[in-house]
Amino acid sequence: MKKLKNTISMVLLGVGLIGMQYSCEIQENFEYVQGPDNSKLSVDALTFISENESLSLLKEAIIKAGMESYYNGSKEYTFIAPNNQAFTAYLKDNGYASINDIPLPILKNMLKYHIVNGTVNFNDPALSASNKPIAYNTENGQTMFLSHSSTYVGIINEGTNSQWQIRTSNLVPTNGVMHVTNFITYYSAPTGDANAVNPNLLLDTIFPKHDSYINGGIDSDKNLGTTNLLKIKNVSGNGDYDRKAVMIFDFNDFKKEGVVTDLRMQLSVSFTHAKGVDLNLFETPNASWTEASIKFNNMVFPKSPRIASIKTSKVSFFNFDITDYYKNVNPEGLKSFMLDGQPGSDETDEIASKEHATLLPPMIIATLASGDSELTLENITDFKIENGGVYVLSKDNLEVSGASAGDIIYTIEEAPVFGWLIKGAEVLKKGSKFSQLDLDLKNLLFIHDGEQNGTQTIKLTARDRAGAILENLELKITVE
């Protein structure tokens, strides 16, 4: 077969990977061409990483994680090397200011996923066919799929929910093979979207009877019901700049028959500062007000805790999951709701009212199922983990039958606090969802924080997309 080699442009050839003092000018564009051999580096992986500024954040991560022995030892691995661009994006996406802010167990697990057992070189005859991903084991116990396109661009996890191109391939340190990427990669099994709505289910939607916003301080006796925007801002709670949105819905407006499997309030966003702060939804005690008369001064404010909350972000719609509220309260008739910002956050949010000319009005959307299916708990097995360790969950820990694995959806009701439950790059928390297929394909990890021992519980509810439900599932984690 043709040998493959990842070369750099003629402009970089004199300072790149072939001539070199290993300064690693990572090329912006590349193509695979015929070549007599790979780019042999004559140094171990850690030395190569240390001598290249574009990989300086990877070096910092390796040192913080105490994983130098993987990169400078004699055992041969395939090293997926995220460059500085990859780490910069990862830090920003996850709200970390620096490598030092990443929790050590999460950092170690991330790096171990980027270390493939054995050597995987794209000159390997097993990889000769294009777009034919092959599964390899990584040091964190999960799988990485490697392949290449018909134009010989290397691909990580082709055919899964997320895939990434390799930027520079087939670098050969003395202890394995290295492939450089612009991305932090992760296991991403082809499981579909646990939050997706089955198109065979019914939807029913209701709209507000009244909506407005109220303003504190000098405007607390002003009615603002004719505006086309509902404004929210929390500075001091009741000052001149404090605004709260209020809405009344009639739950008797729902007309379709079925079991409510999901209920959400959808609000069209006109403007948000998107600071990532809480935006809270409350039920208020009085549903007899009208938008022509409601003011801050005559509003009856909520006395009970919030019924739903989101973190603000740059999106077209704010979606509040009020399924639990519906299950607990079983609301009928007129119900009044209030939106309020995180206390003291000083963020401006503006959503469309029912009078807005171009944006969709507020709405509550119910997903309905027949309710004639049945789920069965086949297995639930607790597990043990070492302090600071990583555990890959599977159907050996939890298995429910009665529907296809992709249609059995688990909702986390209570998450352990001495570690992190992770799906792909997402840290799961209360309200997060995953599927039985995620378990079947080992797409879930638990990473212990390395501090607290003892036993904690993941509490779950399982539903299928036809309305069947299993509640109060408990999976115990013991740290020794």
Side-chain angles (χ1 to χ4, degrees):
M1 63 171 285
K2 293 181 179 178
K3 285 195 172 184
L4 305 177
K5 177 179 175 183
N6 198 356
T7 60
I8 56 179
S9 65
M10 293 302 293
V11 174
L12 296 176
L13 198 55
V15 292
L17 300 172
I18 307 271
M20 65 175 166
Q21 297 299 315
Y22 311 114
S23 59
C24 191
E25 290 280 349
I26 303 298
Q27 66 270 27
E28 290 298 331
N29 298 289
F30 68 87
E31 60 181 349
Y32 285 93
V33 300
Q34 296 183 54
D37 203 352
N38 293 304
S39 298
K40 291 187 176 179
L41 304 178
S42 301
V43 294
D44 61 54
L46 184 60
T47 301
F48 178 78
I49 291 167
S50 299
E51 295 179 352
N52 286 278
E53 179 58 31
S54 63
L55 301 173
S56 62
L57 291 179
L58 173 59
K59 177 185 176 183
E60 184 179 343
I62 292 168
I63 293 172
K64 183 194 172 182
M67 292 176 57
E68 294 94 331
S69 61
Y70 284 93
Y71 292 84
N72 64 8
S74 59
K75 184 174 180 179
E76 292 192 343
Y77 292 104
T78 298
F79 301 100
I80 306 299
N83 60 17
N84 289 353
Q85 177 181 328
F87 274 100
T88 299
Y90 176 84
L91 294 173
K92 180 180 179 181
D93 290 346
N94 290 276
Y96 300 128
S98 67
I99 297 291
N100 199 51
D101 292 326
I102 305 173
L104 185 57
I106 290 181
L107 181 62
K108 285 183 175 180
N109 178 72
M110 183 208 334
L111 290 176
K112 285 183 176 180
Y113 184 70
H114 288 75
I115 301 174
V116 176
N117 293 316
T119 58
V120 183
N121 190 305
F122 286 101
N123 284 340
D124 186 341
L127 286 161
S128 60
S130 61
N131 304 112
K132 297 290 186 183
I134 297 175
Y136 299 91
N137 294 324
T138 68
E139 278 294 295
N140 84 332
Q142 290 185 297
T143 299
M144 177 179 288
F145 296 92
L146 291 173
S147 58
H148 65 82
S149 71
S150 59
T151 55
Y152 300 107
V153 175
I155 304 171
I156 297 171
N157 286 346
E158 181 179 3
T160 73
N161 284 351
S162 299
Q163 64 182 42
W164 300 270
Q165 289 187 351
I166 291 172
R167 183 173 180 177
T168 305
S169 299
N170 290 0
L171 303 175
V172 183
T174 57
N175 55 345
V177 178
M178 184 181 298
H179 309 294
V180 178
T181 70
N182 286 344
F183 308 95
I184 301 294
T185 65
Y186 51 85
Y187 182 64
S188 178
T191 59
D193 182 1
N195 295 294
V197 175
N198 186 330
N200 295 321
L201 300 181
L202 291 175
L203 297 180
D204 200 357
T205 303
I206 61 174
F207 302 92
K209 299 296 185 183
H210 302 279
D211 61 12
S212 180
Y213 79 93
I214 54 178
N215 204 119
I218 59 174
D219 289 327
S220 56
D221 201 39
K222 181 182 292 187
N223 172 258
L224 301 162
T226 58
T227 181
N228 67 352
L229 291 175
L230 307 179
K231 301 181 180 182
I232 306 106
K233 191 180 184 76
N234 191 313
V235 182
S236 63
N238 58 5
D240 292 347
Y241 298 101
D242 285 284
R243 306 157 192 155
K244 307 174 196 300
V246 291
M247 297 164 284
I248 289 179
F249 288 86
D250 188 347
F251 280 77
N252 291 337
D253 285 346
F254 284 122
K255 301 302 182 186
K256 295 181 181 178
E257 297 293 330
V259 176
V260 175
T261 62
D262 178 81
L263 195 72
R264 60 188 169 94
M265 180 182 290
Q266 178 180 292
L267 307 170
S268 297
V269 178
S270 175
F271 174 81
T272 177
H273 276 132
K275 294 180 179 179
V277 297
D278 288 347
L279 184 58
N280 300 314
L281 179 66
F282 300 86
E283 182 185 359
T284 73
N286 177 25
S288 62
W289 57 267
T290 68
E291 66 184 56
S293 62
I294 190 65
K295 309 170 186 177
F296 198 98
N297 277 351
N298 62 18
M299 182 68 199
V300 181
F301 289 91
K303 295 181 173 58
S304 55
R306 65 190 184 185
I307 62 173
S309 181
I310 62 168
K311 296 288 187 183
T312 57
S313 60
K314 289 290 185 182
V315 292
S316 299
F317 299 98
F318 289 148
N319 281 288
F320 290 87
D321 185 347
I322 56 175
T323 309
D324 288 342
Y325 162 78
Y326 184 86
K327 287 169 50 184
N328 295 332
V329 176
N330 193 25
E332 296 181 351
L334 298 175
K335 295 294 178 182
S336 173
F337 299 96
M338 173 181 287
L339 281 169
D340 197 4
Q342 179 176 306
S345 59
D346 194 22
E347 170 175 285
T348 297
D349 297 298
E350 297 179 353
I351 60 177
S353 76
K354 62 186 180 66
E355 287 83 15
H356 202 283
T358 57
L359 296 178
L360 292 172
M363 59 186 76
I364 295 178
I365 304 169
T367 303
L368 304 167
S370 63
D372 56 5
S373 62
E374 183 177 351
L375 295 178
T376 302
L377 178 61
E378 299 289 350
N379 170 54
I380 187 163
T381 302
D382 303 332
F383 64 91
K384 296 180 180 180
I385 183 173
E386 294 182 356
N387 189 292
V390 177
Y391 186 88
V392 180
L393 283 82
S394 71
K395 65 180 180 181
D396 292 336
N397 301 106
L398 180 60
E399 184 175 14
V400 166
S401 64
S404 64
D407 285 340
I408 297 173
I409 308 300
Y410 296 94
T411 301
I412 298 175
E413 307 296 346
E414 183 178 313
V417 297
F418 61 2
W420 302 270
L421 190 64
I422 294 178
K423 173 186 170 183
E426 178 188 5
V427 177
L428 303 181
K429 56 190 177 183
K430 182 177 180 179
S432 296
K433 294 179 172 61
F434 61 90
S435 71
Q436 181 65 50
L437 193 54
D438 283 310
L439 289 166
D440 293 356
L441 296 175
K442 299 182 179 181
N443 200 27
L444 291 176
L445 288 175
F446 178 75
I447 303 175
H448 183 244
D449 62 11
E451 297 178 3
Q452 305 175 60
N453 288 345
T455 299
Q456 293 186 9
T457 301
I458 306 173
K459 294 184 178 179
L460 301 159
T461 297
R463 293 182 175 88
D464 71 5
R465 300 192 190 275
I469 184 169
L470 286 176
E471 298 181 293
N472 301 318
L473 302 177
E474 295 190 356
L475 180 62
K476 289 183 170 56
I477 306 168
T478 299
V479 178
E480 300 177 328

